[in-house]
Amino acid sequence: MRTPIIAGNWKMNKTAVEAVTFSNEIKDALNQIEGVDIVFCPPAINIPGVAEAVKGTKIGVGAQNMYFEESGAFTGELAPNMLTPFCQYVILGHSERRAYFGETDEGVNKKIKAALAHNLTPMVCVGESLEQNEAGETQSFVSGQVKAAFAGLTAVQAARCIIAYEPIWAIGTGKSATVEQAGGIIKTAVRDTIAELFGAETAAQIRIQYGGSVKPHNIADYMAHPDIDGALVGGASLKPGFVELVANAT
Ligand code: PGA
């Protein structure tokens, strides 16, 4: 009932030419993989080129960030309606944005509302640091991030979102969470929190991804967990092996 979704977060990688070349290289193979939604999230300036390259395929396009205002004096930012001609998705609250660019729970909440108002599907990132993990704070911290991100939303709005649980210590480190760790937190801190906020039906509908060193060889293990509905993939989404990763997810 929940279609799995694998999104490639390219982060700050690939020039415009590289982004289009790479999209053209892997799009046909990806387009043939059934039973999974696929999204490319290139750097903002490469979004139009990638959107053009994947036109006519099943591959969706997402931005890596967005501002919540409609327009105005916000130098360097992008408004929701600047994304909508090219994107169906937008990553919001990625831990790198929280850590390096001052992204707050409050800002993430405003951005989710703005994205939904423009029919963009937010991919809302949550996840604990190594220190929090070792201090036994994962459950309460992640649940708190979900509550802050979803404050003031209706159940219908919440069900339209995607949540990516990404333990910070697993991102880009090659040290992925075990399926038990990831699936456990996704169930108890993410899905159960959505149930508490919006009811069991919404919790059963919302798609929750795992992210953090997902590779072609471990994706199938995550997908076998009943609460994991896909992955947000960084490093492994930049290489042709992404095709194998997505194929292994189904
Ligand atoms: P990674 O990144 O797959 O390179 O660990 C995941 C992410 O940050 O979305």
Side-chain angles (χ1 to χ4, degrees), residues 9 11 94-96 166 170-173 211-215 232-236:
N9 174 10
K11 309 192 180 187
H94 191 280
S95 62
E96 286 151 20
E166 301 200 300
I171 296 176
T173 58
S213 299
V214 175
K215 307 290 175 197
L232 184 53
V233 183

Side-chain angles (χ1 to χ4, degrees), residues 1-2 155-156 159 191 194-195 198-206:
M1 60 176 170
R2 297 190 300 261
V156 171
R191 203 176 296 285
I194 293 294
F198 303 106
E201 199 183 322
T202 305
Q205 285 172 344
I206 195 164

Side-chain angles (χ1 to χ4, degrees), residues 6 12 14 29 35 40-41 57 59-60 63 72 83 88 93 95 103 134 148 151 156 164 166 172 181 191 242:
I6 309 279
M12 199 176 73
K14 299 193 188 293
F40 290 171
C41 301
T57 73
I59 301 164
L83 300 180
Q88 302 79 42
S95 62
E103 191 91 59
E134 287 174 345
V156 171
E166 301 200 300
Q181 278 176 315
R191 203 176 296 285
F242 186 59

Side-chain angles (χ1 to χ4, degrees), residues 165-191:
Y165 168 60
E166 301 200 300
I168 296 169
W169 49 268
I171 296 176
T173 58
K175 190 171 168 268
S176 52
T178 65
V179 175
E180 291 69 31
Q181 278 176 315
I185 291 299
I186 283 175
K187 170 73 174 81
T188 60
V190 184
R191 203 176 296 285

Side-chain angles (χ1 to χ4, degrees), residues 23-248:
S23 300
N24 284 329
E25 242 169 64
I26 64 172
K27 66 179 182 184
D28 291 334
L30 287 173
N31 195 39
Q32 286 168 22
I33 304 174
E34 285 171 17
V36 57
D37 291 343
I38 305 167
V39 186
F40 290 171
C41 301
I45 197 166
N46 299 341
I47 286 172
V50 169
E52 181 64 29
V54 302
K55 203 179 255 171
T57 73
K58 64 176 282 178
I59 301 164
V61 178
Q64 297 174 13
N65 182 33
M66 181 199 84
Y67 199 50
F68 53 80
E69 293 286 0
E70 300 286 322
S71 67
F74 304 103
T75 301
E77 294 294 315
L78 292 173
N81 72 352
M82 297 173 186
L83 300 180
T84 46
F86 312 103
C87 296
Q88 302 79 42
Y89 301 88
V90 57
I91 299 173
L92 296 175
H94 191 280
S95 62
E96 286 151 20
R97 297 227 47 95
R98 295 179 192 255
Y100 308 138
F101 304 103
E103 191 91 59
T104 63
D105 280 337
E106 195 191 5
V108 172
N109 175 252
K110 288 181 179 168
K111 290 179 178 191
I112 293 171
K113 289 171 180 165
L116 290 169
H118 287 270
N119 270 319
L120 288 161
T121 298
M123 294 193 276
V124 183
C125 301
V126 296
E128 83 287 0
S129 66
L130 184 60
E131 297 69 39
Q132 289 166 323
N133 186 281
E134 287 174 345
E137 294 165 6
T138 301
Q139 172 75 28
S140 61
F141 181 74
V142 172
S143 174
Q145 280 186 316
V146 172
K147 284 181 183 160
F150 284 77
L153 266 65
T154 65
V156 171
Q157 287 177 317
R160 285 169 53 201
C161 296
I162 293 164
I163 303 175
Y165 168 60
E166 301 200 300
I168 296 169
W169 49 268
I171 296 176
T173 58
K175 190 171 168 268
S176 52
T178 65
V179 175
E180 291 69 31
Q181 278 176 315
I185 291 299
I186 283 175
K187 170 73 174 81
T188 60
V190 184
R191 203 176 296 285
D192 288 353
T193 299
I194 293 294
E196 190 186 314
L197 295 172
F198 303 106
E201 199 183 322
T202 305
Q205 285 172 344
I206 195 164
R207 295 192 286 180
I208 308 174
Q209 300 167 311
Y210 166 72
S213 299
V214 175
K215 307 290 175 197
H217 71 82
N218 63 19
I219 182 69
D221 298 336
Y222 292 112
M223 298 304 295
H225 192 284
D227 281 294
I228 302 181
D229 306 314
L232 184 53
V233 183
S237 74
L238 296 167
K239 301 176 216 145
F242 186 59
V243 174
E244 186 195 346
L245 190 156
V246 177
N248 290 350

